[in-house]
Amino acid sequence: MTLDSVCSPSIPKSPPLIARWFHAIDSPIVDPIAIRKAKREKTLANIAVRSTVSSSASSVSSVTSSTSSTVRAPPKQWVPFSKRDTMALEKAFQGNHASTVPVNEDYLFEVNITKREISPVYWEGPIYEVRRATWFMQGDGSKWLPCEENMSRQVEQGYQKYKPYLEPIVPETELELGNDKIIDAKTNEKEKDIGESTESKPIVPEKKEPEQILEEKEYLLGPYLGKYVIYTDACNAWLLHDTPSAIIAKNILTKITNNQNLGGTKLIRGYLEVEREKRKKTEEGKKTETVETIQPSKKQKEVDAKSKVVPEEENEERKSLDTGDLSRKARGISPLKKKELDDIEMTKQQAEDYDNEESEEELRNIDQVIFVIHGIGQQMSERLGQNFVHDVNVFRKTLKSTWPIAVSGNAPLDRPNGIQVLPILWRKGMLFGSENSDEEGPESDLGLLDGDDGCPTIDEITLDGAPNIRTLVSDVFLDIPLYLTSRYHGQMMNIVIKEANRVYRLFIERNPHFLENKGQVSILAHSLGSLLAFDILTAQPFTPNQLSNVNTTAAVTEKRSATLDFPIKNFFAIGSPLGMIMVLRGHKMVSRKTLEHSSSVNNTPHTYDDKSAPVSFVYPATDNIYNIFHKSDPVAYRLEPLIVRHYGSKLKPFPIPYIKGGLKSVLDHGYTVTHDFANRAGAMFESLKSGITGNLIMRGLGFSKPLEEAYPGAELQYRSGSDPAILASRAEAKSAAKLKSLNPNGRIDFYLQEGLLENTYISALSVHMSYWQDVDVAGFLTREVYKNQQLEQEQEKNNT
């Protein structure tokens, strides 16, 4: 070590600056749902304006100018990406490799590094701003918001220029002199105590002067002109305005708070310091709560007394948010308050949809994809601030939460969760009349010589009276007559097929191992969506062998050119009116497996030679069909009588295992064990009884050996002509085989069990929309999907 290195120590480097990536969850850059909603409101406003006499032009221009002049507010709520995603984003940013990076749970979202935007991959959704955060500013309360990147760069440049992380170095000589002074003071005090000096003045401690901060200002440029930053230490700074009033306020606050508050916005360098500051605030809050609980002050008691009244109003407003637009009007909530509540609820849903707290793990190995098709009422849902994508995301989380319970039981599944759920949106693609035309052309029916002005929209022919009820009819129930109309029925099917193929291609591009692992695709369709999905499955092309065996009365619907690019393994219909529609059409359901061999078709009892037969047959292109419903669902109907009429109508729907917990699950478990024991005992008694009866009959006829050993088939021929039970058992066996060809369980209809305290009439109002968060539905789907996959793998092994 040289003398120069001791006398002139090297200047330490600045603390490392680790960036953390964030994305906003409010104030989206682009929101397709909000755009459609604004267009619809603009259309309604234009219609109302046209009904007036002469103020149409000025009113339309004012509406247009007001909609076009809206400026996006800066985001106030930010969520950090996971450490895994932050590392991937920083690597792409530093290396300039990929412009887009998949992020969040299951890589369902992607970030455009260049545009600093995050958007969903597989569905339509809002696009939010993304920031690479290095400096943070204090927001409301204890919130810390990431600074805009241009501002962070300027603040960091000033940080590197002024080096506030350097502490003043005290020479060693001063330290030694200071120690000597302290020792001398102690000896003098001892001498005075002994009595060497009779008169002594009391030692008064010196008052500490306020810390003097060396104000080295870094003036900002660009949109932050007129602001400057003062650095207080290695990780803190203040953002201030360079105005006389701000300077006066700063001087006053600086003296009052002993330089703890400079009167501006506090800045912190690095996300680690933000977390440290949050922990500090949390600990201080806990200490304060502990003191207040031990001895609450009078002021706190008054606050508590007031808080007991306020939540009641908030609860009323929250209830009005859940019960819909009609109840809001009834409760008399102002439109501004209603819009505020809608925005809060929408922000909450979007925060849940963009949730990334569980994305630290590696990408899951997906081997089961479930496409979810929505039903009616999407227009109303968007109007009320809700959307189908949120329901699907809730269902995906429900599947993951019920996975440990679903894979346990009598036949446990020793495998990781590989189920992915993706929404298929079709209602947004349905356009009626000139609904897709943004520009307004001249009206030829006002005396102009131009051509026809097109077909009117639903909004243009809607009456003004009872607007809430008419909105409910047009946004919800209108989808049903549209489905029954041949023109829009084909359009609906083509939109669903096109969207499903698009999502499937995207998924295969991002998950190439799905095909290598022989992954399977299932469809989960709700309400009207199940009708569309079933029509699409019946419209899929037959194989040449199947087509040659289709009888003349089959409802063959292969006229449409659009087909799915992938096979469907399982079809789950929930809350489905498919049974009623098939009865109205006169259709019955048959599995395509019966068409693989000509002999199976010739033996089926459903062949009709007359084309005027009362029943025609449809063949869905899927291996397994499930009809899941709640008994209180007013929209749902059964399917088993549409496969085998008499046998299916005698069967009761099969209950789905109850896994919600509580007393109901305990009672169900005891009932299942007792019922299973009773069935086995009854079967044993029936076999014993039939064996004794058969031996007595054979001995009475003079046969010493069993009938089937003496004459093969003799007993069957003898009893088939005289015993109707044999004929009934044969018919039941054929009926059971038909059901089993559509589902390996031999059943199609499955119902959700009611809770002990559940009322049928009350639950009928809500059960149709409650399937997404039902853990029984999620657990049942998980077990059935993997059970069918295991059966297929076992069959392949046996064949090989």
Side-chain angles (χ1 to χ4, degrees), residues 38-166:
K39 283 184 178 180
R40 184 178 177 86
E41 292 176 353
K42 179 182 176 182
T43 304
L44 293 175
N46 290 339
I47 294 172
V49 166
R50 288 176 185 173
S51 63
T52 58
V53 181
S54 60
S55 61
S56 60
S58 60
S59 300
V60 170
S61 61
S62 63
V63 171
T64 306
S65 61
S66 62
T67 55
S68 60
S69 62
T70 55
V71 180
R72 185 176 71 94
K76 296 182 179 180
Q77 298 189 25
W78 294 84
V79 176
F81 285 99
S82 65
K83 295 179 181 179
R84 181 200 68 185
D85 294 339
T86 295
M87 292 175 62
L89 291 169
E90 188 66 18
K91 182 178 180 181
F93 172 77
Q94 297 292 346
N96 296 323
H97 297 305
S99 59
T100 58
V101 177
V103 295
N104 284 8
E105 190 173 1
D106 294 336
Y107 289 162
L108 297 175
F109 299 85
E110 64 180 7
V111 171
N112 190 315
I113 298 292
T114 306
K115 296 181 178 180
R116 295 291 199 275
E117 296 174 354
I118 181 173
S119 59
V121 175
Y122 299 104
W123 60 83
E124 180 191 52
I127 300 174
Y128 291 102
E129 184 180 349
V130 173
R131 285 183 183 176
R132 180 179 180 269
T134 54
W135 282 84
F136 298 82
M137 66 170 57
Q138 190 171 15
D140 298 335
S142 59
K143 286 185 178 180
W144 290 92
L145 308 179
C147 296
E148 199 271 330
E149 293 188 37
N150 183 17
M151 176 182 171
S152 295
R153 281 193 294 269
Q154 298 185 48
V155 174
E156 182 64 20
Q157 288 177 1
Y159 183 84
Q160 298 296 337
K161 179 169 66 176
Y162 295 113
K163 297 179 176 56
Y165 51 87
L166 295 179

Side-chain angles (χ1 to χ4, degrees), residues 379-598:
Q379 296 286 87
M380 176 62 73
S381 298
E382 291 184 357
R383 184 189 296 273
L384 296 179
Q386 300 175 353
N387 58 79
F388 176 68
V389 172
H390 178 69
D391 294 334
V392 175
N393 292 332
V394 169
F395 183 67
R396 186 187 304 109
K397 293 180 180 179
T398 307
L399 280 173
K400 291 183 177 181
S401 64
T402 57
W403 174 260
I405 304 175
V407 298
S408 60
N410 296 330
L413 296 174
D414 187 13
R415 63 188 309 158
N417 183 4
I419 301 178
Q420 184 58 274
V421 185
L422 300 175
I424 303 297
L425 305 175
W426 59 267
R427 186 58 178 86
K428 62 183 178 63
M430 296 296 299
L431 302 175
F432 311 113
S434 58
E435 192 176 277
N436 58 339
S437 59
D438 296 333
E439 299 179 359
E440 299 176 4
E443 299 184 1
S444 59
D445 55 356
L446 296 180
L448 300 178
L449 299 178
D450 295 338
D452 185 41
D453 56 354
C455 182
T457 63
I458 299 296
D459 295 328
E460 291 172 344
I461 64 174
T462 302
L463 300 179
D464 296 334
N468 293 325
I469 298 177
R470 293 187 182 277
T471 299
L472 179 68
V473 172
S474 62
D475 287 349
V476 178
F477 300 110
L478 180 64
D479 294 341
I480 299 174
L482 289 175
Y483 169 79
L484 299 175
T485 306
S486 59
R487 173 187 175 186
Y488 292 108
H489 177 260
Q491 184 180 352
M492 287 178 177
M493 290 181 59
N494 290 329
I495 290 174
V496 174
I497 293 173
K498 183 179 179 181
E499 180 67 11
N501 289 336
R502 182 192 69 83
V503 175
Y504 178 76
R505 287 192 294 268
L506 267 176
F507 179 80
I508 295 302
E509 289 176 2
R510 296 170 179 270
N511 300 270
H513 59 273
F514 180 77
L515 296 178
E516 299 174 0
N517 298 336
K518 297 182 179 180
Q520 299 174 345
V521 181
S522 302
I523 287 181
L524 174 66
H526 177 247
S527 188
L528 181 64
S530 63
L531 306 183
L532 291 172
F534 187 80
D535 291 343
I536 291 171
L537 293 176
T538 56
Q540 297 307 296
F542 290 90
T543 62
N545 188 22
Q546 292 175 347
L547 192 59
S548 62
N549 293 328
V550 175
N551 57 61
T552 56
T553 58
V556 181
T557 55
E558 289 190 82
K559 298 179 181 180
R560 301 174 182 84
S561 58
T563 58
L564 295 173
D565 296 340
F566 48 89
I568 301 299
K569 182 66 179 177
N570 307 293
F571 170 57
F572 298 93
I574 56 175
S576 172
L578 178 60
M580 181 186 66
I581 298 298
M582 290 185 67
V583 169
L584 295 177
R585 293 174 176 174
H587 289 174
K588 292 186 73 175
M589 191 188 310
V590 183
S591 173
R592 292 198 179 190
K593 299 174 185 176
T594 61
L595 303 177
E596 295 296 334
H597 305 286
S598 59

Side-chain angles (χ1 to χ4, degrees), residues 156-352:
E156 182 64 20
Q157 288 177 1
Y159 183 84
Q160 298 296 337
K161 179 169 66 176
Y162 295 113
K163 297 179 176 56
Y165 51 87
L166 295 179
E167 297 181 358
I169 301 175
V170 182
E172 296 182 0
T173 54
E174 292 185 7
L175 291 174
E176 293 175 357
L177 292 174
N179 292 335
D180 293 340
K181 292 178 181 178
I182 294 171
I183 294 171
D184 294 339
K186 291 181 179 180
T187 54
N188 291 333
E189 289 176 1
K190 290 180 180 179
E191 292 176 355
K192 291 177 182 178
D193 293 336
I194 293 172
E196 292 182 358
S197 59
T198 56
E199 295 180 1
S200 62
K201 296 181 181 181
I203 300 175
V204 180
E206 297 180 359
K207 295 183 180 180
K208 292 185 178 180
E209 296 181 359
E211 296 180 3
Q212 298 295 328
I213 299 177
L214 182 60
E215 293 187 354
E216 295 175 332
K217 302 178 181 179
E218 175 67 17
Y219 289 91
L220 305 181
L221 304 175
Y224 311 102
L225 195 64
K227 298 180 181 180
Y228 64 94
V229 178
I230 294 178
Y231 305 92
T232 56
D233 54 30
C235 56
N236 295 310
W238 289 86
L239 177 65
L240 303 166
H241 290 268
D242 193 13
T243 58
S245 59
I247 294 173
I248 294 172
K250 169 184 168 299
N251 294 332
I252 295 174
L253 286 173
T254 301
K255 293 181 179 179
I256 292 175
T257 61
N258 192 17
N259 289 326
Q260 297 301 315
N261 190 341
L262 302 188
T265 304
K266 190 176 182 180
L267 304 178
I268 287 184
R269 183 176 184 264
Y271 187 64
L272 295 177
E273 295 296 330
V274 172
E275 290 182 330
R276 189 177 291 111
E277 186 72 17
K278 287 182 179 180
R279 287 195 297 267
K280 181 180 177 182
K281 293 288 184 182
T282 304
E283 292 175 358
E284 291 178 355
K286 288 181 180 180
K287 292 180 181 179
T288 306
E289 291 177 0
T290 305
V291 174
E292 289 178 353
T293 52
I294 295 173
Q295 189 176 1
S297 61
K298 182 178 179 182
K299 184 178 180 180
Q300 183 64 32
K301 292 179 181 179
E302 295 177 357
V303 172
D304 293 340
K306 291 181 181 180
S307 63
K308 292 180 181 179
V309 181
V310 175
E312 293 181 359
E313 300 176 358
E314 295 179 353
N315 289 335
E316 290 295 323
E317 295 173 353
R318 182 59 57 190
K319 289 178 182 177
S320 66
L321 179 67
D322 297 333
T323 52
D325 188 66
L326 297 176
S327 61
R328 288 196 191 102
K329 296 286 185 181
R331 294 176 185 274
I333 297 178
S334 63
L336 293 176
K337 191 66 177 177
K338 165 188 161 186
K339 186 177 184 303
E340 181 182 352
L341 290 173
D342 287 341
D343 293 341
I344 293 173
E345 186 68 19
M346 178 61 72
T347 303
K348 181 181 177 182
Q349 290 185 7
Q350 291 170 352
E352 294 176 359

